[in-house]
Amino acid sequence: MECLAVGGHPVQLRLCLVCGQVGCCDSSPYQHATAHFKETGHAVMRSFEPGESWRWCYVDGSIV
Ligand SMILES: [Zn+2]
Ligand SMILES: [Zn+2]
């Protein structure tokens, strides 16, 4: 995972529902989840945190 590869401290993680890539959220320094959307167009992800099950759509800009 690129987030850990760059040596960042643990952050909130997001799971891409299209390809399964895990990236970090917008409150992390690298914002890999958003970068993944910009690179691939995969717009829907979900929280990868235990106990969280919400989904976020970048295109709609809202919880889906
Ligand atoms: Zn990251
Ligand atoms: Zn993806």
Side-chain angles (χ1 to χ4, degrees), residues 1-4 6 11 13 22-25 28 30-33:
M1 187 197 315
E2 55 195 339
C3 310
L4 298 181
V6 295
V11 291
L13 295 177
V22 176
C24 45
C25 73
S28 75
Y30 298 98
Q31 303 183 358
H32 282 128

Side-chain angles (χ1 to χ4, degrees), residues 1 12-15 20 22-23 46-52 54:
M1 187 197 315
Q12 293 262 304
L13 295 177
R14 304 290 178 253
L15 176 69
V22 176
R46 56 158 287 172
S47 174
F48 199 54
E49 298 297 310
E52 293 186 10
W54 51 264

Side-chain angles (χ1 to χ4, degrees), residues 7-42:
H9 64 88
V11 291
Q12 293 262 304
L13 295 177
R14 304 290 178 253
L15 176 69
C16 175
L17 288 178
V18 178
C19 70
Q21 159 138 342
V22 176
C24 45
C25 73
D26 283 355
S27 54
S28 75
Y30 298 98
Q31 303 183 358
H32 282 128
T34 300
H36 179 68
F37 164 61
K38 289 177 179 172
E39 278 180 20
T40 64
H42 297 167

Side-chain angles (χ1 to χ4, degrees), residues 37 41-45 56-64:
F37 164 61
H42 297 167
V44 183
M45 55 76 162
W56 178 263
C57 176
Y58 286 108
V59 173
D60 293 338
S62 64
I63 302 283
V64 292

